[in-house]
Amino acid sequence: MDGRFRGSLRSVLYYFRVLSEGNEPIRWLRTQGLDPEGDYECLEDGQVYGGDRLMNSGLTIPSMHGDFQSYLWQFKRI
């Protein structure tokens, strides 16, 4: 997980796509370094995810249209 500081209650996850693809598959982005027993609230949508889910299953990358797109998730440990 990018932007995470040891002992911090907040984490930031970035995804950058340079060139788009036609008929793009569903992509998953997995995190690292979280507490598998902890819960994390996504500040963008208010959903709560378990640390084990974020590290094993991950998050689906939202559909983006066009080249040079990015997405940012901010999490707060609760």
Side-chain angles (χ1 to χ4, degrees):
M1 192 169 237
D2 295 340
R4 193 175 78 81
F5 300 101
R6 294 237 181 254
S8 175
L9 297 178
R10 293 188 182 257
S11 299
V12 178
L13 179 64
Y14 304 94
Y15 174 76
F16 300 96
R17 182 182 69 194
V18 177
L19 298 175
S20 63
E21 299 176 42
N23 198 21
E24 232 178 308
I26 295 174
R27 296 187 191 272
W28 294 83
L29 190 59
R30 293 182 186 99
T31 63
Q32 296 178 356
L34 299 178
D35 178 2
E37 310 231 345
D39 288 322
Y40 296 85
E41 178 184 8
C42 181
L43 300 179
E44 279 67 42
D45 62 13
Q47 289 206 16
V48 176
Y49 301 94
D52 55 347
R53 179 194 187 270
L54 291 170
M55 290 191 296
N56 295 308
S57 299
L59 295 168
T60 56
I61 298 170
S63 177
M64 294 184 266
H65 303 287
D67 296 336
F68 306 107
Q69 300 292 315
S70 64
Y71 199 82
L72 169 113
W73 292 268
Q74 295 181 72
F75 291 96
K76 180 175 85 172
R77 181 152 183 212
I78 54 174

